[in-house]
Amino acid sequence: MRHACSDERAKAPQLRGWCPGALRPMVSGDGLVVRVRPRLGRIAGGQLIAVASAAQRFGDGEVQLTNRANLQIRGVAAADHPALLAELDRHGLVDPDESAERRRNVIVTPFPDEAGETARIAAALTAALADLPTLPAKFGFAVDTGRVRLLAETPADIRIERAADGGIILRADGAGTGRPVRADAAAGAAVDLARWFLSAGGVRAGRGRMAALVRRRRPPVGPEQAEPAPSAAAPTPGPIPGGHLVGFPFGAAPAAALLALGRLGDVRVTPWRMLAVETSLAPPPLDGVLLAADPLTQVSACSGAPFCPQAAGSTRDLARALAPAVPAGSHLHVAGCPKGCAHAAPADLTIVATPRGYDLVARGAAADAPRVRDLRPADLADGALFREALA
Ligand code: SF4
């Protein structure tokens, strides 16, 4: 191993600048990746069953839960894509066209307020997106207006969220405060902020994120500004009001488990790679489901090699092996390359595969400067380097 002294990396990841959809799948090492974006953060039990059946028939038998609260089928042969699309369309899971699919990049808190305000804001925002000019493909919105704010770590460019004083604010990602808005005006104000992003030069060569623009330009502010509510920690698997939160290691849900969950009730998707099943019944014991006490709840990892062509090494086997060594209360992210798809936000510990081994980043993201370079899995096994990095 060698300790890092600069931020050089042997192999820079290829930035694609877009996420797959159902109509526009992405080619990966094991076939097409087809992503389903549930509307308003919810999917009916019957739709979940349809996605799981499609994963068994056309994919690799698993459904990936993504950190943008979407469902993804991998390993689809190009020749099967039209039949898979037809199947998803039959269940109302496909947008009318690629442009509509691309725009519908809205993450909704899975723990909405009881008064239905969140659902109304999300519906109004989704409808208003049709009026927007083209935004960068990864540009997205978060509706985080439940009783507590939960999506602070979830990627989004424009946030409608619960304020510290209990009201609602509209906040540009990267800004410390937001503008108070009425619930019935929040969607329109979000669209106005997206127009400002475009007119203020937020897009360069077809790409751009709000936080990067906010570092260069102050977003338009009204006469008042308010702080967002404190951010709550992501919940763990188990009972929740009105249902059950069900997680899967690395968000890889066996289709058979989803078939069983879909029979229990409708489901809210979450950005924590778990599903909130609306049921009064406890889910039956299911293969591949994560228990709250499992060390894998502290770990995230992308598909890595050989599944992603950009990966410099395998990820999930290493993450599984290292999970018991992760200090309590910390999170380990294992990435196949510096792009860090599985955990966009900084993590306590991040391991990044490189052509020479694995680098370790402390309290940072996969693209940040590593603390130690060129590690072998055996160097990490006893957890000593983790404890040292967090000391
Ligand atoms: S982080 Fe993982 S999934 Fe993302 S591009 Fe790199 S290797 Fe592929």
Side-chain angles (χ1 to χ4, degrees):
M1 81 181 80
R2 74 188 166 99
H3 283 259
C5 55
S6 76
D7 194 18
E8 56 154 23
R9 283 284 161 90
K11 182 187 174 195
Q14 181 195 344
L15 294 174
R16 295 179 194 252
W18 56 281
C19 296
L23 291 163
R24 190 189 187 201
M26 190 177 268
V27 178
S28 194
D30 54 345
L32 298 181
V33 177
V34 176
R35 187 175 284 188
V36 174
R37 301 180 181 194
R39 287 180 179 279
L40 310 178
R42 298 174 67 88
I43 184 162
Q47 290 177 313
L48 185 65
I49 289 171
V51 173
S53 305
Q56 287 178 323
R57 188 168 157 210
F58 301 108
D60 63 4
E62 286 184 342
V63 176
Q64 309 282 329
L65 311 181
T66 80
N67 62 356
R68 286 183 176 244
N70 293 317
L71 307 176
Q72 200 162 267
I73 300 174
R74 293 190 70 102
V76 177
D80 286 339
H81 182 233
L84 169 58
L85 262 188
E87 191 57 25
L88 295 175
D89 195 28
R90 223 161 55 80
H91 291 87
L93 292 165
V94 180
D95 286 287
D97 54 49
E98 271 186 42
S99 166
E101 177 178 83
R102 223 167 82 133
R103 280 161 205 263
R104 207 165 47 72
N105 213 351
V106 180
I107 300 180
V108 182
T109 176
F111 293 92
D113 59 292
E114 289 89 15
E117 208 168 49
T118 298
R120 287 193 291 277
I121 293 170
L125 179 60
T126 302
L129 294 181
D131 299 335
L132 272 174
T134 304
L135 288 160
K138 289 204 167 204
F139 196 95
F141 300 79
V143 181
D144 195 5
T145 51
R147 275 198 301 119
V148 292
R149 193 169 68 104
L150 280 163
L151 303 181
E153 301 289 319
T154 302
D157 295 87
I158 294 180
R159 300 175 183 276
I160 300 170
E161 56 191 5
R162 187 62 61 196
D165 65 3
I168 293 176
I169 54 171
L170 174 74
R171 187 168 66 88
D173 191 47
T177 55
R179 177 158 71 87
V181 286
R182 286 196 332 263
D184 61 359
V191 166
D192 289 345
L193 188 54
R195 289 187 193 283
W196 171 81
F197 169 82
L198 291 168
S199 65
V203 185
R204 291 178 177 171
R207 293 183 183 157
R209 300 305 300 263
M210 180 65 89
L213 177 61
V214 165
R215 283 194 287 275
R216 307 194 305 269
R217 301 256 328 245
R218 191 161 182 244
V221 292
E224 292 171 52
Q225 287 286 294
E227 302 219 337
S231 164
T236 50
I240 54 171
H244 228 86
L245 204 52
V246 183
F248 302 89
F250 314 117
L258 296 192
L259 292 173
L261 294 178
R263 288 184 205 110
L264 289 180
D266 295 346
V267 163
R268 284 173 266 142
V269 285
T270 82
W272 312 298
R273 297 189 165 85
M274 294 189 274
L275 297 175
V277 188
E278 295 175 347
T279 173
S280 55
L281 305 169
L286 296 167
D287 283 346
V289 164
L290 204 50
L291 301 175
D294 195 313
L296 286 178
T297 55
Q298 289 176 252
V299 174
S300 52
C302 68
S303 49
F307 306 106
C308 175
Q310 299 200 55
S314 68
T315 50
R316 290 189 175 167
D317 287 349
L318 180 61
R320 231 177 248 284
L322 295 179
V326 179
S330 301
H331 190 86
L332 169 67
H333 171 204
V334 183
C337 79
K339 206 166 153 190
C341 299
H343 194 89
D348 301 302
L349 298 159
T350 302
I351 294 171
V352 188
T354 78
R356 297 176 309 279
Y358 292 90
D359 290 353
L360 173 64
V361 179
R363 295 194 178 91
D368 288 341
R371 174 187 168 91
V372 194
R373 287 183 189 280
D374 304 347
L375 294 160
R376 294 163 301 143
D379 298 327
L380 294 154
D382 65 0
L385 281 172
F386 293 163
R387 292 191 293 278
E388 207 178 281
L390 295 176

